[in-house]
Amino acid sequence: MNASGTRDLPGPAPTQLSVVVPVFDESGNLAPLVEEIERALTGRFRFEALIVDDGSTDDTSAEAARLAATRPWLRIERHATNRGQSAAMRTGVAAARAPIVAVLDGDGQNDPADIPALYAALALSPETRMAVGERRRRHDSWTRRLSSRVANGVRASLLHDGIRDTGCGLKVFYRDDYLDLPAFDHMHRFLPALMQQRGRKVRSIPVNHRPRRNGRSKYGIGNRLWPGIVDLLGVMWLERRRL
């Protein structure tokens, strides 16, 4: 009974899982990805999905609106200008309604069918606070594989985070843990190490990886490898300065 003497009616069950998808010029990949998220999660979770349009210049905004018009569980966040993947991810996580968040890339290379396995890693192990996908068979160009291999090797040797594939876009974590991290450009590449710096356990889970369906990658050696090494020095500084 409430203060007025009437009985409170039960409200809708809380959302269990929020799926955040940062996108930039991915209009051709949105519909298949949204449909895969729907198939993978419907009936298994009370979920929502947030597409974060990071200042796209193609038809991504219109396509996202079209998809959301018939899906109450799909929401759209937009940046007026391109601010980068880390900023788009943070916008989505901040807007998420669930305590656990899954993030995946908008190019369709991450498989939404892998999300339940990463979610289970958290649900079945209370001490695990983040599950990271580890791509076993990469379907990327040689330049992306090379830059990723070098960056992962350098990062692992300096940060000792025990994660072989921190560049995989598919991750599941607790929203509050993520929002407690320092926010900076390219931070999405170092989420496992940043979590571990705060005493959070991180697990790697094998996941599927697919060829890109449409469009082209926004990353290469020039904007992935060298900036990543510079950012690595900053993460090392944060570790040394940690109280």
Side-chain angles (χ1 to χ4, degrees), residues 193-212:
L194 293 169
M195 286 284 188
Q196 290 174 353
Q197 286 177 5
R198 280 152 181 75
R200 309 295 195 259
K201 181 178 178 180
V202 180
R203 286 189 57 193
S204 286
I205 306 294
V207 297
N208 189 25
H209 191 247
R210 292 123 28 123
R212 171 181 270 274

Side-chain angles (χ1 to χ4, degrees), residues 32-98:
L33 182 59
V34 167
E35 291 166 2
E36 287 184 324
I37 292 172
E38 192 167 27
R39 286 196 299 270
L41 304 183
T42 298
R44 305 186 70 166
F45 301 97
R46 297 185 300 276
F47 74 97
E48 65 170 359
L50 296 94
I51 295 173
V52 184
D53 178 7
D54 188 28
S56 294
T57 59
D58 64 355
D59 294 331
T60 293
S61 179
E63 179 68 358
R66 183 187 71 80
L67 293 166
T70 57
R71 294 171 172 85
W73 49 267
L74 181 60
R75 296 194 286 135
I76 313 298
E77 298 285 336
R78 294 186 178 90
H79 292 169
T81 59
N82 181 253
R83 294 165 53 191
Q85 186 171 348
S86 287
M89 183 184 298
R90 192 166 188 89
T91 293
V93 176
R97 296 167 176 159

Side-chain angles (χ1 to χ4, degrees), residues 124-199:
L124 299 177
S125 175
E127 69 273 14
T128 300
R129 304 294 293 184
M130 170 180 276
V132 180
E134 182 178 332
R135 297 164 290 186
R136 291 300 175 88
R137 293 185 62 189
R138 295 283 300 271
H139 291 275
D140 284 323
S141 67
W142 73 268
T143 54
R144 288 198 69 183
R145 293 197 303 270
L146 174 62
S147 62
S148 180
R149 185 177 303 167
V150 173
N152 273 320
V154 173
R155 187 209 73 256
S157 65
L158 295 176
L159 295 182
H160 307 290
D161 57 12
I163 305 298
R164 295 177 57 186
D165 186 16
T166 190
C168 179
L170 181 55
K171 298 177 175 70
V172 176
F173 48 79
Y174 285 90
R175 177 179 180 271
D176 289 347
D177 287 345
Y178 171 89
L179 294 177
D180 188 47
L181 299 177
F184 57 91
D185 197 15
H186 303 148
M187 68 172 288
H188 65 278
R189 298 170 177 160
F190 301 98
L191 287 179
L194 293 169
M195 286 284 188
Q196 290 174 353
Q197 286 177 5
R198 280 152 181 75

